[in-house]
Amino acid sequence: MSQEIEHVQCLIIGSGPAGYTAAIYAARADLKPVMYTGMEPGGQLTQTTDVDNFPGYPGGVMGPEMMEDFRKQAERFGTDIRFGYVSSVDFSSMPHKVVVDDIKTVTADTVIISTGATAKWLGLPSEQKYNGFGVSACAVCDGFFFKGQDVAIVGAGDTAAEEATYLAKLCRKVYMLVRRDEFRASKAMVHRVLNTPNIEVVYHTETQEIIGNGKNVTAVKVLNNQTGVESEIPVEGFFVAIGHKPNTDIFKGWLEMDETGYLQTIPGSTKTNVEGVFAAGDVQDHYYRQAVTAAGSGCMAALDAERYLAAKEHEVKALS
């Protein structure tokens, strides 16, 4: 039985703000983009409640609703959006080969990767129960909703330290829960945390459970891993800052990555080390990680893909 093969000009892998924005620009440039959404159409924002910091939504918007707006706009210009996941790639020759759902092969002149990154969680059932109702993995996204309240943040690296100081500007009190007796963050970031009056660092502390009233977070149950004593800290918000994992496993061996797996792009562009392959959004951005920056890089990726194809076409005409 022969395997089904399809050829496209522009293939977009992933469907968050970066993927959908790339699709809008690519479709308007008549690249006839085909998008495979992955198993979570809309990406991380579909797990988010209120989004108040994306331009154009003065009254705020729910994350799933915003992603539905993005999808409709991409489809309006002709993007072929398909539910499915890319199971493997072969970037050894042109056109690029991509296998979808382990059964279908798609060849593509250009590939835009926007598979995003997934927040690392502690793995507590209560963490997922209250996700979006007091539990968050993004202080910059959600800190605003906890103005004047008490919150806790778990983590000991630079991201946790940075997010704790960000929250301290908004919140009455920030409890920073650190498992060991020291930080993993840089000395400069540790100095900033320790010199912020309303941050209380709680060392040797592990989160046991997030407590709530069925609607919102009310406290966090913690364990002192030296003394074995359990206690509760009353908080309205709980932030997890133990890192993100970029969704790049299928690209290992093909594309250049940093030590944590984020795709590396040529500075000032979305170009990867493979000709005709571009990366946008959180899959290549471990610093900003915002919906608006992801959308901006999605635009860049589509423009880079369009210019790449135009240059190739010009080369062919010059040789003929």
Side-chain angles (χ1 to χ4, degrees), residues 45 48 50-61 66 138-145 166 288-293:
L45 274 171
T48 305
D50 299 295
V51 179
D52 266 350
N53 56 4
F54 199 93
Y57 291 96
V61 64
M66 186 170 88
C138 180
V140 175
C141 310
D142 300 325
F144 176 83
F145 302 113
Y166 177 86
Y288 295 105
R289 296 199 312 269
Q290 298 299 300
V292 69
T293 51

Side-chain angles (χ1 to χ4, degrees), residues 65-310:
E65 183 187 342
M66 186 170 88
M67 285 299 90
E68 182 66 10
D69 287 345
F70 273 50
R71 184 188 65 79
K72 286 176 182 174
Q73 192 170 356
E75 285 184 325
R76 177 185 156 209
F77 294 112
T79 304
D80 184 348
I81 299 175
R82 306 171 182 177
F83 180 75
Y85 73 98
V86 171
S87 44
S88 65
V89 300
D90 181 351
F91 294 154
S92 61
S93 60
M94 297 292 284
H96 303 300
K97 292 186 183 69
V98 168
V99 177
V100 179
D101 297 331
D102 289 315
I103 54 171
K104 176 174 178 174
T105 298
V106 177
T107 61
D109 298 323
T110 57
V111 177
I112 295 174
I113 298 167
S114 53
T115 49
T118 303
K120 293 179 182 176
W121 297 96
L122 298 173
L124 304 172
S126 55
E127 185 181 45
Q128 294 309 311
K129 179 180 178 181
Y130 289 105
N131 188 3
F133 300 93
V135 174
S136 169
C138 180
V140 175
C141 310
D142 300 325
F144 176 83
F145 302 113
F146 300 92
K147 267 189 170 180
Q149 299 179 9
D150 294 347
V151 300
I153 183 166
V154 60
D158 277 339
T159 298
E162 191 171 329
E163 296 209 336
T165 54
Y166 177 86
L167 289 168
K169 295 173 187 174
L170 302 167
C171 304
R172 183 173 55 192
K173 181 75 177 278
V174 179
Y175 296 94
M176 190 168 185
L177 312 180
V178 178
R179 286 185 64 179
R180 299 185 297 171
D181 61 352
E182 62 182 1
F183 286 82
R184 288 182 291 104
S186 62
K187 287 183 179 178
M189 288 306 301
V190 173
H191 182 75
R192 197 187 300 180
V193 166
L194 297 179
N195 283 276
T196 303
N198 60 333
I199 296 178
E200 181 180 333
V201 182
V202 190
Y203 295 103
H204 298 295
T205 300
E206 296 182 24
T207 303
Q208 297 288 91
E209 206 64 69
I210 295 150
I211 299 167
N213 57 15
K215 293 182 178 179
N216 302 296
V217 170
T218 58
V220 56
K221 184 179 177 182
V222 297
L223 169 74
N224 184 305
N225 56 28
Q226 276 204 323
T227 64
V229 174
E230 289 185 344
S231 60
E232 288 184 14
I233 303 173
V235 292
E236 286 89 6
F238 183 81
F239 291 84
V240 182
I242 57 175
H244 286 73
K245 183 185 184 303
N247 302 317
T248 56
D249 287 352
I250 60 168
F251 306 114
K252 284 178 180 171
W254 298 108
L255 300 177
E256 288 179 1
M257 306 177 183
D258 67 12
E259 65 279 0
T260 54
Y262 284 90
L263 297 183
Q264 294 190 310
T265 52
I266 296 170
S269 81
T270 61
K271 299 173 184 175
T272 68
N273 59 297
V274 173
E275 185 182 331
V277 178
F278 309 90
D282 288 9
V283 76
Q284 52 83 53
D285 172 22
H286 58 81
Y287 187 73
Y288 295 105
R289 296 199 312 269
Q290 298 299 300
V292 69
T293 51
S297 67
C299 161
M300 291 167 61
L303 294 175
D304 284 343
E306 179 193 1
R307 289 164 185 169
Y308 167 79
L309 289 172

